[in-house]
Amino acid sequence: MIEAQSKDARIRSLTATGILDTEAETAFDDVVRMAALVCKTPIAVVSFVDADRQWFKAKIGLEVSETPVEMAICRHVLVCDDIEVFPDLTMDARTADNALVTGPPSLRFYAGARVDSPDGAPIGSVAVIDTVARPQGLTAEQTETLLALARQVMAQLALRAQAARLKDGESRFQAIADSMPQMVWSTQPDGHHDYYNARWYEFTGMEPGSTDGEAWNGMFHPEDRDRARALWSLSLQTGAPYEIEYRLRRHDGVYRWTLGRALPIRDAAGQITRWFGTCTDIDDAKRLAEERELVSQELSHRIKNIFAVISGLISLSARTHPESKGYALALRDRVMALGRAHDFVRPHSRVSQPNARAATVFALLAELFAPYDGAGGLRISLAGDDIAIDDRAATPLALIFHELATNAAKYGALSVAGGHVAITAALVGDDYQVVWRETGGPVVAGPPAVEGFGSTLSKVSVEGQLGGTLIREWAPEGLLVTMTAPAKSYTRPSRAN
């Protein structure tokens, strides 16, 4: 007999199959018909042994659907290796006093092949039964057929288990998807939409199934439909992630900005088996961002005006106090350089940004050098690696190169007709290095006896704001300045969304 502990585990395995008390199924009925036909018996059953009963999933030659477990000859099959044969039930101590043997229907012959659960526990059998003893038992062909039929029953149980897992997985996915704040959707590999979660139907007000297939595109704003379809078609063709902003019609008829995203799911061979996507209502966030952009543009415009006012006040002070004119004009030029740098990187509207330009180091330098006729490379040339900048680097760069250009125009290469300044830039590892080289100007006798305010300001700007170094070399043929700073210091870190 099976020990109590293993019996409990077996019952749990049987219960987990979900086979007990289910309706008749052709797959199991075919098994008993084939068993009776091949083994030439009047009775054949597919039985499962529960805690207190033997239940027949399929049967031929029996009227009852179950028997008490004490009368179940099938329980003896559970402890055999694969098949158990009783040539004469009256002659075996295990069955001689069984009520089904001693009384109606007076069973005499039994042969059963064991059936295991998907997790390997013995739970039942495929059996053939006769009311006439068979001392010879089963033939080899009959034995092999009975074992094969038992394997078919086990295959059916495995399919049921797989189907149950899939159903459970689908239920879990449905619960998770419906609990998400985003609209969730899924498509077949060809892009045919066949699933939307509850949020989609709540948002759109559409009936379930009404937006399957290609009907989803009709929910978009007419101006966004072609663009969305084209991008989605491209993702389907290439397998590239899908991401787009469009206006989606809400249940009240209002179109709201929505962020659509989708990724392909691939099998082991890399083939796309399904697409999963989300739609996120970003209308409020988009409008808030637009309002912030307008405020930022207005604030930046006011700052530009402040630079102009300060420059005007300095010019007025210079005229009022002639003795301070030199200092005042130098300060005004520095303020004006800062103003040009600010105007270069400040947020612009479509109106205030007349020309499309990239916010890069070379673009800013070209703007600063325009008064020196250097933008076209006539007196000041730019060559090498160009990198992006924002307001973080624009101010120190404006101060540094304004001072260099001003001094070159007064005392250096730009003070004579044949002088030239060559600026070369290169990415060196994690650093960005800019070299200023003057040639063709007056012979340089050496470094100045006293370091000027502009030189000090330039050094402080590089070290303090960019975290780099500034080295000056006073060669006879002209000033050589090497500025090195981390490349990442030229732009602010992007904020995580």
Side-chain angles (χ1 to χ4, degrees):
M1 294 293 291
I2 302 173
E3 296 179 359
Q5 183 177 2
S6 60
K7 178 182 176 181
D8 291 341
R10 183 183 65 78
I11 297 303
R12 286 195 297 271
S13 294
L14 173 59
T15 303
T17 65
I19 193 68
L20 292 174
D21 300 313
T22 56
E23 296 294 328
E25 298 177 53
T26 301
F28 292 94
D29 291 341
D30 287 344
V31 167
V32 294
R33 280 194 291 267
M34 182 63 69
L37 179 64
V38 172
C39 297
K40 297 180 173 57
T41 60
I43 303 171
V45 296
V46 173
S47 68
F48 295 98
V49 182
D50 199 358
D52 55 4
R53 60 173 176 154
Q54 171 185 234
W55 178 75
F56 302 120
K57 171 63 179 174
K59 62 187 186 299
I60 285 180
L62 284 180
E63 296 298 327
V64 296
S65 59
E66 62 181 51
T67 67
V69 72
E70 294 80 9
M71 298 170 60
I73 301 174
C74 292
R75 63 195 173 100
H76 300 296
V77 180
L78 302 181
V79 295
C80 73
D81 289 334
D82 47 25
I83 191 168
E84 185 73 32
V85 179
F86 295 85
D88 188 342
L89 292 168
T90 65
M91 302 300 292
D92 193 298
R94 294 173 293 175
T95 57
D97 59 353
N98 190 298
L100 297 175
V101 176
T102 60
S106 301
L107 303 180
R108 291 295 180 264
F109 172 76
Y110 176 96
R114 194 181 78 192
V115 170
D116 293 344
S117 66
D119 61 2
I123 58 174
S125 67
V126 175
V128 291
I129 308 170
D130 203 342
T131 56
V132 178
R134 293 190 182 187
Q136 76 280 7
L138 296 176
T139 66
E141 291 80 4
Q142 291 170 336
T143 298
E144 186 58 38
T145 298
L146 203 60
L147 289 170
L149 292 173
R151 290 194 294 270
Q152 287 302 309
V153 171
M154 288 188 281
Q156 289 296 321
L157 293 176
L159 289 174
R160 292 174 65 93
Q162 183 180 15
R165 287 194 297 271
L166 289 174
K167 183 176 181 180
D168 182 62
E170 291 176 359
S171 298
R172 289 174 182 269
F173 170 77
Q174 185 76 46
I176 293 172
D178 285 344
S179 68
M180 294 180 65
Q182 289 88 5
M183 293 167 268
V184 179
W185 50 271
S186 177
T187 80
Q188 298 173 12
D190 62 359
H192 181 89
H193 286 66
D194 58 4
Y195 170 78
Y196 296 92
N197 72 340
R199 296 290 87 73
W200 169 267
Y201 295 112
E202 289 175 3
F203 182 92
T204 62
M206 302 296 290
E207 291 296 323
S210 61
T211 52
D212 287 356
E214 298 295 324
W216 56 272
N217 199 245
M219 303 300 301
F220 292 6
H221 192 284
E223 295 177 2
D224 300 333
R225 290 173 188 171
D226 291 343
R227 178 171 57 92
R229 187 184 294 276
L231 188 60
W232 175 233
S233 298
L234 180 63
S235 292
L236 291 176
Q237 294 170 12
T238 63
Y242 172 73
E243 182 169 334
I244 187 174
E245 291 184 5
Y246 52 80
R247 286 159 290 183
L248 182 65
R249 189 174 71 239
R250 198 169 57 183
H251 56 82
D252 56 2
V254 174
Y255 285 97
R256 291 181 64 82
W257 280 102
T258 304
L259 173 62
R261 286 174 171 164
L263 290 173
I265 304 300
R266 300 178 184 271
D267 59 19
Q271 297 298 313
I272 295 175
T273 60
R274 183 156 282 277
W275 286 82
F276 280 103
T278 60
C279 302
T280 305
D281 185 344
I282 59 170
D283 197 81
D284 293 339
K286 194 173 183 69
R287 295 183 189 281
L288 181 60
E290 291 174 352
E291 292 175 2
R292 288 177 176 173
E293 182 66 19
L294 289 174
V295 172
S296 178
Q297 291 173 8
E298 178 62 23
L299 179 60
S300 184
H301 180 69
R302 291 178 183 272
I303 292 174
K304 177 188 176 182
N305 291 340
I306 290 174
F307 277 118
V309 170
I310 292 174
S311 296
L313 290 174
I314 294 173
S315 297
L316 179 61
S317 298
R319 290 194 297 270
T320 306
H321 303 281
E323 70 280 5
S324 302
K325 183 177 181 179
Y327 298 105
L329 294 180
L331 178 59
R332 184 200 62 185
D333 290 344
R334 292 185 178 108
V335 171
M336 290 176 65
L338 291 177
R340 287 196 296 273
H342 169 75
D343 192 50
F344 184 79
V345 297
R346 75 182 178 92
H348 283 273
S349 66
R350 294 180 180 178
V351 175
S352 67
Q353 178 73 74
N355 299 311
R357 58 185 179 186
T360 67
V361 170
F362 283 9
L364 174 61
L365 294 183
E367 181 113 348
L368 290 172
F369 296 150
Y372 304 94
D373 196 24
L378 302 177
R379 305 289 307 274
I380 304 176
S381 62
L382 301 169
D385 298 329
D386 193 10
I387 64 172
I389 61 169
D390 58 20
D391 59 315
R392 179 181 187 180
T395 299
L397 283 178
L399 288 173
I400 294 164
F401 286 98
H402 167 75
E403 296 299 328
L404 288 173
T406 299
N407 289 334
K410 289 181 179 179
Y411 318 112
L414 300 183
S415 66
V416 298
H420 181 262
V421 175
I423 298 176
T424 57
L427 284 165
V428 183
D430 295 333
D431 293 333
Y432 186 62
Q433 189 175 83
V434 183
V435 178
W436 167 287
R437 187 186 301 273
E438 297 184 27
T439 57
V443 176
V444 178
V450 179
E451 189 175 64
F453 173 75
S455 298
T456 302
L457 183 61
S458 298
K459 186 175 181 180
V460 169
S461 296
V462 174
E463 295 177 354
Q465 294 181 264
L466 296 179
T469 58
L470 186 72
I471 300 176
R472 288 183 174 85
E473 299 179 43
W474 304 90
E477 61 274 15
L479 175 64
L480 177 66
V481 180
T482 302
M483 185 183 74
T484 305
K488 64 181 181 181
S489 66
Y490 284 77
T491 54
R492 300 180 187 279
S494 59
R495 295 181 179 179
N497 293 330

